[in-house]
């Protein structure tokens, strides 16, 4: 099965660019995520981390 796929892939022109594009997308995504984690405000992180623990009675509705 793998020989069939490998043989078929070798016959496609320009296919060597796809692994490089995939690696670039992977690297950019995780670099951006890493940057966001270190630049996010601590108040926002605390607020978001407490969302699953809140109930409807705990919320303060001020309009």
């Amino acid at each position: 099965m793998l020989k069939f796929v490998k043989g078929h892939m070798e016959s496609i022109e320009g296919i060597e660019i796809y692994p490089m594009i995939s690696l670039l997308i992977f690297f950019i995504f995780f670099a951006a995520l890493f940057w966001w984690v270190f630049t996010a405000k601590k108040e926002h992180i605390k607020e978001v981390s407490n969302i699953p623990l809140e109930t409807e009675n705990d919320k303060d509705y001020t309009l």
Side-chain angles (χ1 to χ4, degrees):
M1 177 76 180
L2 187 59
K3 289 181 182 181
F4 173 73
V5 172
K6 184 179 176 184
H8 182 66
M9 292 259 207
E10 287 175 348
S11 67
I12 300 173
E13 291 291 324
I15 196 155
E16 64 274 355
I17 193 72
Y18 291 107
M20 289 184 259
I21 291 171
S22 298
L23 181 63
L24 187 63
I25 291 170
F26 179 82
F27 178 76
I28 289 171
F29 174 76
F30 281 103
L33 188 65
F34 186 76
W35 174 77
W36 180 80
V37 166
F38 282 105
T39 60
K41 294 182 180 179
K42 300 296 180 190
E43 296 84 26
H44 176 71
I45 300 297
K46 280 186 178 182
E47 180 182 338
V48 172
S49 67
N50 286 328
I51 288 175
L53 303 175
E54 291 179 355
T55 62
E56 290 296 321
N57 296 335
D58 293 339
K59 294 181 181 177
D60 183 20
Y61 292 106
T62 56
L63 297 175

